[in-house]
Amino acid sequence: DNEVSKEVEEEYEEVNLKGTTPLQTFFAIFKGNVGPGCLSLPWAFSILGIPLGCAITAVITYLVSYNAWTLVRLKRTYLKDGKRGVTYSDVGERAYGTKFRIVVDLSVILLQMAVCTIFISNMAENTSTMIRHTFLSSASTSAYTSAWQFLQHERVIMTILLLPACTLLSSLPNLKALAPSIALASVLMFASFLLIGYIIYHDWSHGYQNYQNSNGIPIQWSKVPLATCAIMYALEGDQLILPIEAAMMHPRKHFTKTFVWSMAGICLLFCVFASCCVVAFGFVDDGSITAFLVGRIHNNEGDNVVLVVDDDSLDDAWDSSSTSRIAFLANAVVSVSLLFTYPLQLFPVLGLVGQIVARKQ
């Protein structure tokens, strides 16, 4: 048995000689977790406060990492039978039987469908926020009331309008066809973080002073569970751990260290990003930081755009001719990025449903 297991392991390592390097694996894990879910972190930290927010982020990152690593260990045990391409459902079936495979299938489908629902909701929220503020800032006084009544339902309308585009992109047949969409979404997401970073830099001095004067942000204990769920949702790449590990060159030698360092870096990035947003902007009351930044813009007089904020000093620091345009641009970039990321999130559901149908046949 030991000789057979050794032969299988050597064959497994030989198959992956052309796999990804530790550095490439590091960025694959990093990229899989740093996505649109990060945009809700500033809201979560506004509920939890920075110290508690960082602590909960660290704990959740550890739990998610431990669970992911447990799946990798189970997969390696299952691999001793000589089988490759092991999925979550395969691991569940091997551990607890055929009936448990159905539980895993349903869990993965429901999870990914929930993520896709959030994606569409965020796209609709971001897009409708831009349209609402752009339209109302240029609308005449006589048209203001009727326009506002129409835009009361703008999120529902934008969701309906976005569905055909999401459906069309989801019809791509395989991951190879999705590759350009995924690459474009990654570039757009990176660009949005750069734009948000510029706004943080622009507001930092006044925001930091206000944060010190207010002695931080009080914890809203009634909303702590919901904020914790938002942090958990931000770690959206756990479902990719098995294929990433399988694609690595010599995974048994290098994957453990690479995985630990990547998850530690992700945890640090989440804490720094959310904390900086809370310090620079104050209390973030929107689940999308880009929608929040656009929401701060309001038309007070003619075409002069200023920001509605609680503190006058922060309002004075805002440059309406440049930073407000960057906020609109960041929101638009995030919306497009979500649109092109949506098919990747739906793809596992389509593949799993196809497998279920094939097994029944």
Side-chain angles (χ1 to χ4, degrees):
D1 292 340
N2 293 333
E3 293 180 358
V4 173
S5 299
K6 185 177 180 181
E7 290 177 358
V8 171
E9 182 173 341
E10 289 177 353
E11 183 181 358
Y12 175 79
E13 293 289 348
E14 183 179 355
V15 170
N16 285 273
L17 286 178
K18 296 182 180 180
T20 57
T21 64
L23 183 61
Q24 291 172 331
T25 303
F26 175 90
F27 283 111
I29 299 174
F30 201 86
K31 175 185 173 183
N33 285 277
V34 180
C38 301
L39 302 178
S40 63
L41 289 175
W43 172 82
F45 273 53
S46 295
I47 300 296
L48 301 170
I50 292 178
L52 182 59
C54 292
I56 292 179
T57 301
V59 171
I60 291 179
T61 302
Y62 171 78
L63 293 175
V64 170
S65 302
Y66 180 80
N67 291 337
W69 177 242
T70 300
L71 285 172
V72 172
R73 292 170 56 195
L74 290 172
K75 174 193 173 183
R76 291 177 176 179
T77 302
Y78 190 43
L79 185 63
K80 290 181 181 180
D81 293 339
K83 296 184 179 181
R84 301 179 180 84
V86 181
T87 64
Y88 289 108
S89 301
D90 295 331
V91 174
E93 182 178 7
R94 181 58 184 267
Y96 296 106
T98 305
K99 293 183 178 180
F100 191 75
R101 182 187 184 95
I102 300 175
V103 175
V104 176
D105 289 341
L106 291 177
S107 299
V108 172
I109 291 175
L110 291 176
L111 173 63
Q112 291 304 119
M113 290 301 294
V115 171
C116 291
T117 302
I118 295 174
F119 268 47
I120 295 180
S121 177
N122 287 343
M123 281 188 286
E125 177 67 24
N126 291 347
T127 306
S128 61
T129 299
M130 289 189 299
I131 294 176
R132 180 171 65 251
H133 287 278
T134 301
F135 180 81
L136 293 181
S137 64
S138 59
S140 61
T141 306
S142 59
Y144 180 84
T145 303
S146 59
W148 176 248
Q149 290 176 350
F150 171 77
L151 292 172
Q152 291 284 346
H153 307 285
E154 79 288 348
R155 187 170 182 173
V156 176
I157 295 173
M158 289 309 306
T159 301
I160 296 174
L161 293 177
L162 288 169
L163 283 176
C166 294
T167 304
L168 180 62
L169 287 173
S170 301
S171 63
L172 296 176
N174 50 52
L175 287 177
K176 184 176 181 180
L178 282 174
S181 174
I182 298 171
L184 178 59
S186 301
V187 172
L188 292 173
M189 201 67 214
F190 180 73
S192 67
F193 278 112
L194 290 180
L195 294 172
I196 296 172
Y198 173 82
I199 302 175
I200 292 175
Y201 171 78
H202 188 276
D203 281 13
W204 181 259
S205 58
H206 290 270
Y208 182 71
Q209 183 178 359
N210 294 333
Y211 182 81
Q212 284 187 320
N213 294 337
S214 61
N215 295 322
I217 295 178
I219 301 174
Q220 300 184 24
W221 292 105
S222 61
K223 297 182 179 180
V224 166
L226 189 59
T228 302
C229 291
I231 297 175
M232 189 179 300
Y233 166 69
L235 292 164
E236 56 192 38
D238 56 328
Q239 74 278 7
L240 303 175
I241 193 66
L242 291 183
I244 289 177
E245 188 267 348
M248 187 181 186
M249 181 188 302
H250 302 300
R252 295 179 183 269
K253 295 180 180 179
H254 305 297
F255 183 77
T256 303
K257 184 183 295 184
T258 303
F259 178 66
V260 170
W261 279 107
S262 61
M263 295 305 295
I266 290 167
C267 179
L268 179 62
L269 176 64
F270 283 4
C271 292
V272 171
F273 172 70
S275 300
C276 288
C277 287
V278 170
V279 172
F281 308 134
F283 186 86
V284 178
D285 59 358
D286 196 298
S288 172
I289 184 61
T290 54
F292 166 79
L293 293 175
V294 173
R296 297 169 70 190
I297 301 173
H298 183 70
N299 183 21
N300 278 356
E301 184 179 358
D303 292 333
N304 295 325
V305 180
V306 295
L307 292 178
V308 177
V309 292
D310 294 331
D311 193 282
D312 292 337
S313 61
L314 183 59
D315 180 61
D316 293 337
W318 185 270
D319 188 313
S320 61
S321 63
S322 59
T323 319
S324 59
R325 289 198 295 267
I326 293 177
F328 271 97
L329 179 61
N331 198 52
V333 170
V334 167
S335 300
V336 178
S337 175
L338 288 170
L339 177 63
F340 284 98
T341 308
Y342 179 87
L344 179 63
Q345 298 295 334
L346 187 63
F347 188 81
V349 175
L350 300 178
L352 190 55
V353 172
Q355 291 178 9
I356 294 174
V357 172
R359 287 170 66 90
K360 287 185 177 181
Q361 291 178 349

